[in-house]
Amino acid sequence: MNVLNTLLAASGQNHPTKMDAIIHWIKDHMSLAGKHWSPAGFGEGPHIFSNNFTTQSFFLILSATITLILFGVLYNKKQKTPTGLTNFLEPFVIYVRDEIAVKNMGEKDGKAWTPFFCSLFFLILGSNLLGLIPGNATATGTFWITGSLALIVFLCMTLVVAIKFGPVNFIKAFMPPGVPTWVLLLLTPLEMIGLVVKCVSLTIRLFANMLAGHIVLFSIMALLYVFSYYAILAYPIAIGIYALEVFVGFLQAYVFTFLAALFIGEMFHHAHPHHDHDEEHAH
């Protein structure tokens, strides 16, 4: 609560109140643009990198760095019997491969895309969990970052599919076979718009869940600052909300990764020129 006292003293108002400090604190932490990075994670810190380098940017880079170190240095996939950190990470990797990538994209494409989906999952998970550490900011609590992740998924659904299967098969993916031509004139544009809608939903779902959870947590914590020991019941409630936020961090990383695999897999499924033949051969 020293942070709130500092904000209260530095609010610049003639008659600042505790509520002014709380509102400023929540707005500062949840700002879409973010605040300048500072070692303590609060307020305006030294502009070490540039005026555009925000706390959210710092923790996104930190999450990406941790992910690279975990799987580029520490994770040893050559171990026949996984031990140590590899043994801890292995279930997550296998689950993403078997239950997300392979189930939505098929055996061959699913295994080929597993590194991408693992990177997506652990990057989002790291950002979610780092944001729960007091003094940190949640990168995935801003739609600029969740929108950028959704844009990557959109490019996989469009550009990658068009390159892999050709532009003709890409266009045919929006034209279901057996549908009358006059219906396709209406259906095809709607299907194309649907790609954008899917990515917008990815952006909003992750951003809104992380933002809303933190606002609730901060609001409960603020009761302790305003009412002191009269709000003693806020302690166990805040602990419960915090535990729920940890669960939500894992859940939203899974949901985003699963839906990304589902959307990309649908485009692969519809654009694959030999899909029907391969499916009949498999049966």
Side-chain angles (χ1 to χ4, degrees), residues 169-181 183-192 269-270 276:
N169 288 315
F170 173 72
I171 297 299
K172 285 183 178 179
F174 302 100
M175 302 177 179
V179 178
T181 303
V183 176
L184 287 176
L185 293 176
L186 177 63
L187 184 61
T188 301
L190 291 176
E191 288 288 332
M192 291 181 174
H269 172 87
H270 294 301
D276 294 335

Side-chain angles (χ1 to χ4, degrees), residues 12-268:
Q13 300 183 29
N14 294 329
H15 301 286
T17 65
K18 290 183 176 181
M19 190 58 66
D20 293 326
I22 292 167
I23 293 173
H24 181 73
W25 180 38
I26 294 177
K27 283 184 176 180
D28 185 58
H29 187 83
M30 295 300 172
S31 171
L32 294 180
K35 50 189 177 295
H36 298 298
W37 181 82
S38 62
F42 290 99
E44 292 287 340
H47 299 180
I48 295 177
F49 297 95
S50 72
N51 289 339
N52 295 321
F53 192 84
T54 64
T55 311
Q56 285 87 348
S57 303
F58 173 77
F59 285 105
L60 178 66
I61 294 173
L62 179 60
S63 177
T65 302
I66 292 173
T67 302
L68 286 173
I69 293 174
L70 283 177
F71 291 97
V73 180
L74 302 178
Y75 183 82
N76 186 2
K77 62 181 180 180
K78 295 182 180 180
Q79 288 183 348
K80 293 183 178 180
T81 304
T83 59
L85 184 62
T86 302
N87 185 46
F88 174 76
L89 295 173
E90 189 77 8
F92 292 96
V93 175
I94 292 176
Y95 186 86
V96 171
R97 183 193 67 190
D98 296 343
E99 301 299 324
I100 296 179
V102 172
K103 276 196 173 182
N104 288 291
M105 300 189 66
E107 185 77 18
K108 182 179 178 181
D109 289 327
K111 288 184 176 180
W113 279 73
T114 295
F116 170 76
F117 293 122
C118 280
S119 300
L120 198 60
F121 175 80
F122 282 98
L123 176 64
I124 295 173
L125 178 62
S127 298
N128 293 347
L129 297 183
L130 285 173
L132 289 173
I133 299 174
N136 293 358
T138 308
T140 46
T142 63
F143 70 77
W144 299 111
I145 290 175
T146 60
S148 298
L149 294 173
L151 178 60
I152 294 173
V153 175
F154 178 78
L155 293 176
C156 292
M157 295 167 64
T158 54
L159 186 61
V160 172
V161 172
I163 293 173
K164 182 176 178 65
F165 300 112
V168 175
N169 288 315
F170 173 72
I171 297 299
K172 285 183 178 179
F174 302 100
M175 302 177 179
V179 178
T181 303
W182 67 272
V183 176
L184 287 176
L185 293 176
L186 177 63
L187 184 61
T188 301
L190 291 176
E191 288 288 332
M192 291 181 174
I193 294 173
L195 289 184
V196 179
V197 173
K198 288 175 180 177
C199 292
V200 170
S201 71
L202 281 178
T203 300
I204 296 175
R205 180 181 286 105
L206 179 57
F207 153 70
N209 276 281
M210 301 313 300
L211 181 68
H214 282 228
I215 290 177
V216 171
L217 183 60
F218 285 170
S219 299
I220 293 175
M221 291 169 62
L223 293 175
L224 302 173
Y225 178 69
V226 174
F227 299 106
S228 187
Y229 59 86
Y230 292 106
I232 192 66
L233 289 178
Y235 275 103
I237 295 175
I239 294 173
I241 294 295
Y242 189 90
L244 180 61
E245 280 298 290
V246 174
F247 171 74
V248 169
F250 279 88
L251 179 63
Q252 290 305 315
Y254 163 76
V255 169
F256 191 100
T257 308
F258 179 83
L259 291 178
L262 177 64
F263 296 156
I264 297 172
E266 285 180 347
M267 287 303 299
F268 271 55

